[in-house]
Amino acid sequence: MAELAGLDDPKARAVNERHGDDHGVNLGKLRALAKRLKTQQDLALLLWETDDTAARLLALLVCRPKAFERERLDRMVRETRAPKVHDWLVNYVVKKSPHAEELRVAWLADPDPVVASAGWALTGARVTKESEGLDLDALLDEIEAGMKDAPDRLQWAMNACLARIGIDHPEHRARAVGIGERLGVLRDYPTSPGCTSPFAPVWIAEMVRRQGAPS
């Protein structure tokens, strides 16, 4: 914790706080520290329990994802409110867990929009990697009905899932693009030069173009 405190940079904290993350540690330096520490599950558990954002990010880099019980992962996602911690928890840990599918289904139906967003993030990953057994039409129905008025984090995850359906499943592409156009979610999102807009129709078109697939 003392070493993390020494890495705190007021300028980095100001940037991170604009994104809702209450820490000032440069992520490159955090990754270098994790590389030095290597995998240490017991240390990861202790770091997580500090409730400190930088410590929790470090915990997610040095933990052993498959070692977590389902109930612990469920508790962790409910304790997490910093966006970067939430993102790393889902992508670096839960996706690699043997409990990922069970949690995906449970979280999709959760009334907490932050927890539900984790379910949608896992669903988007499955749309790309292992879509067999998913009802993509039903997912599009849910997105069409609920995305426009969803809270920000949940809306973002649903939009990403919409884009993945359009990118990875040509038979659903026209409908996915149509939903994106009608709802207009993230149409005006500020995008840096050289980056792809998160607006689903633009995102889908650009990724399909890069893949060299017919649109």
Side-chain angles (χ1 to χ4, degrees):
M1 293 303 294
E3 187 162 356
L4 285 173
L7 292 174
D8 194 272
D9 180 346
K11 291 182 179 179
R13 179 174 290 277
V15 171
N16 291 331
E17 286 180 346
R18 288 202 294 270
H19 299 285
D21 291 307
D22 57 340
H23 75 93
V25 179
N26 175 279
L27 295 183
K29 293 180 179 179
L30 192 73
R31 291 181 187 278
L33 176 56
K35 186 176 181 179
R36 194 184 83 222
L37 292 170
K38 301 181 180 178
T39 301
Q40 296 191 48
Q41 180 68 4
D42 289 343
L43 174 61
L45 297 177
L46 291 171
L47 288 168
W48 184 268
E49 293 304 324
T50 66
D51 196 25
D52 176 83
T53 295
R56 284 187 164 182
L57 289 171
L58 182 60
L60 297 172
L61 293 174
V62 302
C63 73
R64 186 174 293 109
K66 294 181 180 179
F68 288 102
E69 297 178 351
R70 179 199 183 282
E71 292 72 19
R72 181 132 198 171
L73 290 173
D74 184 71
R75 175 164 66 86
M76 288 168 72
V77 85
R78 294 177 192 282
E79 293 171 343
T80 300
R81 284 299 178 267
K84 184 63 71 177
V85 176
H86 179 89
D87 180 56
W88 283 16
L89 173 61
V90 173
N91 288 290
Y92 294 174
V93 179
V94 181
K95 283 183 181 178
K96 299 176 183 178
S97 166
H99 309 295
E101 178 60 15
E102 185 181 356
L103 289 169
R104 181 190 74 82
V105 173
W107 289 345
L108 271 179
D110 200 277
D112 183 330
V114 175
V115 176
S117 74
W120 278 101
L122 293 171
T123 300
R126 195 176 151 192
V127 162
T128 296
K129 295 183 178 179
E130 193 181 351
S131 62
E132 185 176 352
L134 286 179
D135 187 338
L136 298 182
D137 280 315
L139 288 174
L140 289 171
D141 288 343
E142 286 189 61
I143 292 168
E144 189 166 25
M147 182 171 73
K148 188 172 182 63
D149 296 321
D152 288 351
R153 190 125 26 122
L154 176 56
Q155 185 184 72
W156 187 274
M158 294 176 81
N159 181 73
C161 187
L162 173 66
R164 292 316 322 179
I165 292 173
I167 293 163
D168 299 312
H169 298 275
E171 69 278 18
H172 294 282
R173 187 169 295 150
R175 186 182 174 199
V177 170
I179 290 171
E181 290 285 3
R182 284 193 299 278
L183 299 184
V185 169
L186 301 176
R187 186 192 302 272
D188 300 319
Y189 190 85
T191 305
S192 301
C195 296
T196 302
S197 168
F199 179 48
V202 173
W203 187 356
I204 292 167
E206 175 59 19
M207 294 307 294
V208 170
R209 184 192 68 78
R210 292 183 191 180
Q211 293 168 0
S215 57

